[in-house]
Amino acid sequence: LRGTFAMERIDADQGDRASCGPCNEVPTAKLYAGVTYRAPFKLDLNLDASYVTGTTWIEREPNPADPTQITFAANPLPGYAVVNARAAYRLLDDHVELAIVGSNLSGGHKEHPFGNRVDTRVMGVLGGSL
């Protein structure tokens, strides 16, 4: 079993968080937990999960009323969870491993308001050692 929790708060000099654009781009909390089980019959199972709280990204954008002017626009990004899992079977005295790995099994999310969506991925893995 493993887990971590991080909490961060950044304030502007005046104590007004709203006036500090970059301060809002930092998640207030990040939570991570994971478990690994290694069975005596050569099966390995891993499950990891994390959660990041929502943020507000401040970006320079053209002013809708006057596109010749640049303004700071707030772009909210909701919190998101990420779940990863792995199941592996060890062969040939632990020299070969067959695994299936799933990442972002909790569904898609974005890590920046204008970023690409990160969706679920599943892959097979064949590994070996000498």
Side-chain angles (χ1 to χ4, degrees):
L1 296 174
R2 58 198 172 274
T4 61
F5 176 75
M7 188 168 201
E8 184 170 8
R9 181 181 167 114
I10 300 173
D11 286 325
D13 293 339
Q14 301 84 6
D16 179 11
R17 188 173 170 90
S19 70
C20 179
C23 300
N24 296 322
E25 295 174 1
V26 177
T28 302
K30 296 178 182 179
L31 175 66
Y32 166 80
V35 61
T36 298
Y37 175 69
R38 191 162 197 187
F41 49 90
K42 302 186 181 227
L43 179 68
D44 296 345
L45 301 172
N46 297 295
L47 180 65
D48 298 296
S50 65
Y51 179 76
V52 176
T53 58
T55 56
T56 300
W57 290 75
I58 308 299
E59 299 288 341
R60 294 170 44 99
E61 298 178 13
N63 185 330
D66 181 3
T68 63
Q69 299 296 315
I70 300 296
T71 60
F72 292 97
N75 297 286
L77 183 67
Y80 59 89
V82 174
V83 176
N84 302 319
R86 178 178 176 273
Y89 188 74
R90 294 173 272 120
L91 304 160
L92 301 175
D93 202 25
D94 290 351
H95 291 289
V96 175
E97 180 179 80
L98 295 171
I100 186 164
V101 179
S103 63
N104 206 28
L105 298 173
S106 55
H109 71 277
K110 289 184 177 185
E111 296 177 1
H112 185 279
F114 301 139
N116 292 330
R117 186 174 168 83
V118 180
D119 283 315
T120 300
R121 294 183 179 105
V122 177
M123 64 186 118
V125 179
L126 171 64
S129 65
L130 300 175

